[in-house]
Amino acid sequence: ENDAGITFAGDGEPLLALETLVETVELLRVRRNGLPMRIVTSGLVGPEIAERLMGSGAVALGDEDARRETRIASVSVALNADSPNLYQRLVGPPNGAAGFGQVCGFISALAEGGVAVECTCVEHPDVDVAATRRLALALGARDLRVRPYFAAS
């Protein structure tokens, strides 16, 4: 089978509907076990969300094989800069300067809990991609994926 699976993402933050997300994973497990899944998030959620996600049974932890049992295999977190000031300028998080610390804490909490975390950043001219990669890895992410930047016309 050549199924790319399901990515929970979109115009809103998928983790703000955590109960619905967990229920969906359970329904998929019953109907189609082994379906690959991941979450794409801003990471701008409180630490209780990381704890609830890891405690839900919906996400693979440590060396659990998400391919054999339907679970979320990875979480992709947008880490768009390596410093609080640049992060605030580029992202404009609703909680201001605290946003950078919040996303870094979220990445660390998931990684320390055994979740496979990938970070992403945009190749913006002001972003030091190498420094952002070092930060992502230091926080426990497995990798940093760089997406192209397209300036507004």
Side-chain angles (χ1 to χ4, degrees):
E1 188 170 330
N2 192 16
D3 193 336
I6 295 174
T7 299
F8 295 98
D11 288 337
E13 172 55 61
L15 294 176
L16 294 181
L18 185 58
E19 290 76 21
T20 302
L21 191 147
V22 169
E23 290 171 11
T24 302
V25 170
E26 179 59 23
L27 286 171
L28 290 167
R29 185 191 66 72
V30 169
R31 293 182 184 207
R32 186 144 179 237
N33 197 30
L35 187 66
M37 289 182 274
R38 71 185 187 117
I39 298 171
V40 175
T41 175
S42 69
L44 292 169
V45 293
E48 72 282 355
I49 298 293
E51 292 301 322
R52 287 176 42 214
L53 177 63
M54 291 185 291
S56 71
V59 65
L61 301 175
D63 61 356
E64 293 174 340
D65 190 348
R67 293 171 298 170
R68 296 186 189 280
E69 194 174 322
T70 297
R71 292 196 181 152
I72 296 164
S74 66
V75 178
S76 181
V77 183
L79 181 64
N80 290 308
D82 70 316
S83 72
N85 291 339
L86 183 57
Y87 184 86
Q88 184 174 357
R89 184 167 61 85
L90 294 177
V91 177
N95 55 349
F100 182 75
Q102 188 174 28
V103 74
C104 289
F106 181 73
I107 294 165
S108 277
L110 290 181
E112 288 173 11
V115 176
V117 178
E118 169 197 62
C119 290
T120 61
C121 78
V122 177
E123 202 167 27
H124 185 280
D126 295 340
V127 173
D128 182 338
V129 172
T132 304
R133 181 179 311 282
R134 286 191 300 274
L135 175 60
L137 296 176
L139 292 170
R142 296 184 177 186
D143 195 16
L144 176 79
R145 187 168 45 89
V146 182
R147 295 177 290 128
Y149 171 73
F150 301 99
S153 343

